[in-house]
Amino acid sequence: MTDKTVADVISYKRDMEDKRFIQIYAGVGSGKNYFIERFFTGDEKYDIPKMTVLLITSRRAKVDEYQLTDEDAENLSKSIGKWGNMHKVLAEAMENGNPGEYEDHVRIISGIWGESRIYQTSAVCTNAFIEKYLQHQYNPQVPTSHLWNLFDMIVIDEVHSVIMDATYQSAPFYIHKLVNEILRRHKQADIDKESPRPQCKNIVLMTGSPEPIKRMSVPPNVSVKLDIVDQCRNVVPQNIRFIEMASVKKQIESQLNRGERILYFSNHTILPEEFCTDTSIDPSMVASSFSKPERRTTMNEEDLKKMEAVEQAIRETCLIPQDVRLLISTSRNKEGINIKDEDIQHIYVESHNRSDIIQMAGRVRCGAENLFVITDSIGFQSKSTAKEIDRRFSWDYMLAPNDNGKKTIDRVNQFLEQLCKECKLEDFYDNREANVTINSKGAEKVKAYVTYIHEKFPYIRYDYFRNVFSSYYLKLDGEEYQMDNEKLFQEAEDDHTKYQTMFQEWFPESLVHPFVSREDQQKQEALAYIENLIKTDSARIYTDDDVHVIIQDLNKIFDTTLSNINVLMKKFCDYKFKRAGKDPKKPRYKNLLLVPAE
């Protein structure tokens, strides 16, 4: 495995400078974000120029991290909003103000109303912020609201999330529209020399999990794909192992008793007390991390403080506090964070999604000893036929012509056009340069209609650049990708050898162990128990009390309540207990021998 980083392999001037659209494929832990950070201040070592960068990430944790590490953003904006730190960064400077230490960040934006001066530095925000920004702040007539003129480079971090997050939120739709709008304006400037060219020179898409975006089309001639996965560091676990849910808690309990530390990625929010139920695990050594505010209100004060302390420690030091032996996290921490603890041996994942598993496996930067994939975990996607039919029907209904030959999306836009006329906003419909937005006075009905359509049709979203509705095909792509992954797991349920084949392809540098079912694990554990008895003393004489203890131990292994020792033994080995003597009246009869079964 190489130790090279993205900055060691990619040259900006050679590989990126003359390209508007750049895709960087590099493994987890390869230094993609470090490479982009070099542009914030410039870096002579790597021959990287100083540029104003907007980094868009799918995770709030990454925004928090940059708020602490990006000195410019910290000085310029002391607090962050719900979706990012851009709301103050993008504020227009006072016309007569002195930029002072921000003189290098002054930018002049020209428009039909003349020139506007803003001070601008590199910034970071979430995908969700871009959606809110376009909803509430973008205005085609206000140059200072045009992101393509505020930044030299716009970077979409972990771009696979544009597909994956589309299954449950709208933000990826607007990320996609923003990228297309910037490229469209560049193309228009190529054709019409009078059209202003965006100041954003480069759009960069980065991911360590390119599978979900393989179908994403790229503009010819002005784009480049830099696939350097094999040339850079890629954090993977040493071993891939498979486990069934029924065995998870017991195994984790044993690992914690040995003093080992564990990172557990759950599909659903789990509080420490919930996880520790029916175990001997001390809840004080367990912490949770998740995003849902409503679940946070149900936590006791101690657990809430511990969670906040853990999340702060990860942001500031990239370390989990030592008193936390088991961290249970949702997808909140699946990407965009670094965990540099060197003593986290095991990672458990409930996800059955390739990109999620790859991201989760790489969070521990030194490389975990074991990645345990829980094969029968319950995910977000229903496996039922009804669920799939409902999804397909919703999509087909949107695109299929009705009795009048109109598609549903066409009829939705037709009504929007009529509504604009009724509201005397004729120039607003399907007009990129409209002088009003849905937030303008007189557009209240249009805004209400947009909300109505979003609630009624999951595959239709409003395009704030064009002022029309468009199909949200990224949502369909994300759902199909998820179902394809779930299908692989379903097939492996029927043929366990497929688990090993599948994960060896996903993790070629890891040792992928064969799947062992819970039943087989129980048999192996019970057999080891009996073999240890034989190894200790093959000629040992057992009393009824001794055998009673063995029955209890084997019942614990098999989760049974059987009372006959030989019925238990028959489940897993060719040994049995028999009376040492044949005559019940003699003392020897009370003793038993462990012998091969006949």
Side-chain angles (χ1 to χ4, degrees), residues 160 163-164 167 209-215 352-358 381 391 474-488 506:
H160 58 270
I163 300 295
M164 302 314 306
T167 60
S209 308
E211 283 297 317
I213 65 169
K214 279 191 171 180
R215 287 184 290 180
H352 290 175
N353 181 291
R354 174 176 180 170
S355 66
D356 282 356
I357 294 172
I358 290 173
Q381 291 297 110
R391 180 192 62 81
L474 290 181
K475 179 177 176 64
L476 187 73
D477 284 350
E479 291 172 343
E480 289 182 343
Y481 180 81
Q482 280 192 341
M483 287 190 296
D484 288 345
N485 278 258
E486 193 63 45
K487 183 179 179 182
L488 292 175
W506 295 1

Side-chain angles (χ1 to χ4, degrees), residues 225-476:
K225 182 185 297 183
L226 303 174
D227 188 344
I228 56 173
V229 172
D230 295 334
Q231 301 176 53
C232 296
R233 184 169 184 258
N234 187 20
V235 177
V236 296
Q238 298 173 36
N239 300 281
I240 310 290
R241 303 179 188 274
F242 307 100
I243 188 170
E244 293 174 298
M245 184 62 79
S247 301
V248 169
K249 284 190 178 183
K250 186 175 182 180
Q251 179 168 288
I252 288 179
E253 186 175 1
S254 298
Q255 291 167 342
L256 291 175
N257 288 336
R258 294 196 297 268
E260 297 167 352
R261 300 183 75 201
I262 301 162
L263 178 59
Y264 186 106
F265 285 102
S266 171
N267 287 337
H268 306 87
T269 301
I270 302 177
L271 300 181
E273 294 84 355
E274 295 172 344
F275 188 87
C276 296
T277 301
D278 299 326
T279 74
S280 63
I281 300 173
D282 182 356
S284 67
M285 67 172 63
V286 183
S288 295
S289 178
F290 53 87
S291 299
K292 291 183 178 179
E294 62 274 16
R295 284 306 304 271
R296 292 192 177 219
T297 62
T298 66
M299 300 181 72
N300 62 54
E301 185 176 354
E302 183 180 347
D303 285 343
L304 181 59
K305 286 183 178 179
K306 184 184 296 183
M307 178 166 70
E308 292 172 345
V310 168
E311 292 172 350
Q312 181 178 358
I314 292 175
R315 288 196 307 269
E316 296 180 2
T317 67
C318 298
L319 297 172
I320 298 172
Q322 276 296 311
D323 63 325
V324 176
R325 312 301 296 172
L326 168 62
L327 175 60
I328 305 172
S329 175
T330 59
S331 60
R332 169 185 175 85
N333 296 306
K334 76 175 181 182
E335 57 197 12
I337 66 164
N338 303 320
I339 297 177
K340 296 182 179 179
D341 297 75
E342 296 183 357
D343 60 346
I344 295 180
Q345 294 97 323
H346 314 297
I347 300 176
Y348 287 79
V349 296
E350 291 186 3
S351 175
H352 290 175
N353 181 291
R354 174 176 180 170
S355 66
D356 282 356
I357 294 172
I358 290 173
Q359 291 296 321
M360 292 169 179
R363 287 311 100 206
V364 179
R365 289 314 202 194
C366 67
E369 179 182 343
N370 295 302
L371 173 69
F372 290 97
V373 180
I374 303 173
T375 59
D376 57 347
S377 58
I378 299 174
F380 297 110
Q381 291 297 110
S382 170
K383 298 180 181 179
S384 69
T385 303
K387 178 73 175 180
E388 182 178 354
I389 290 175
D390 178 65
R391 180 192 62 81
R392 291 175 58 187
F393 176 80
S394 297
W395 176 260
D396 291 343
Y397 179 74
M398 189 186 78
L399 296 180
N402 58 27
D403 294 340
N404 298 322
K406 285 280 189 181
K407 298 176 183 177
T408 299
I409 192 168
D410 293 336
R411 297 188 70 186
V412 167
N413 277 322
Q414 184 180 38
F415 186 85
L416 173 63
E417 184 177 17
Q418 293 173 353
L419 193 60
C420 288
K421 290 179 180 178
E422 293 173 12
C423 297
K424 298 182 179 179
L425 301 172
E426 291 91 342
D427 295 334
F428 177 65
Y429 176 76
D430 201 11
N431 182 1
R432 294 180 183 273
E433 306 300 329
N435 58 9
V436 296
T437 71
I438 62 170
N439 296 306
S440 299
K441 185 177 180 179
E444 292 83 2
K445 287 185 179 180
V446 174
K447 187 175 183 178
Y449 180 59
V450 169
T451 301
Y452 168 77
I453 293 299
H454 282 183
E455 292 176 352
K456 188 173 182 63
F457 298 104
Y459 297 102
I460 297 178
R461 285 296 175 264
Y462 185 75
D463 184 342
Y464 293 97
F465 293 116
R466 288 185 55 204
N467 299 319
V468 294
F469 289 97
S470 297
S471 59
Y472 191 10
Y473 69 84
L474 290 181
K475 179 177 176 64
L476 187 73

Side-chain angles (χ1 to χ4, degrees), residues 72-126:
D72 285 336
E74 174 69 11
N75 290 333
L76 192 59
S77 176
K78 294 296 183 183
S79 62
I80 60 175
K82 185 175 181 181
W83 297 283
N85 63 2
M86 288 173 50
H87 62 299
K88 290 186 178 180
V89 174
L90 297 180
E92 186 172 349
M94 293 183 298
E95 287 298 320
N96 298 323
N98 182 358
E101 62 181 305
Y102 298 109
E103 186 174 359
D104 290 343
H105 300 300
V106 172
R107 178 165 297 194
I108 305 299
I109 305 296
S110 300
I112 60 174
W113 303 109
E115 293 185 342
S116 298
R117 183 176 67 171
I118 65 170
Y119 52 92
Q120 181 62 48
T121 185
S122 293
V124 60
C125 71
T126 62

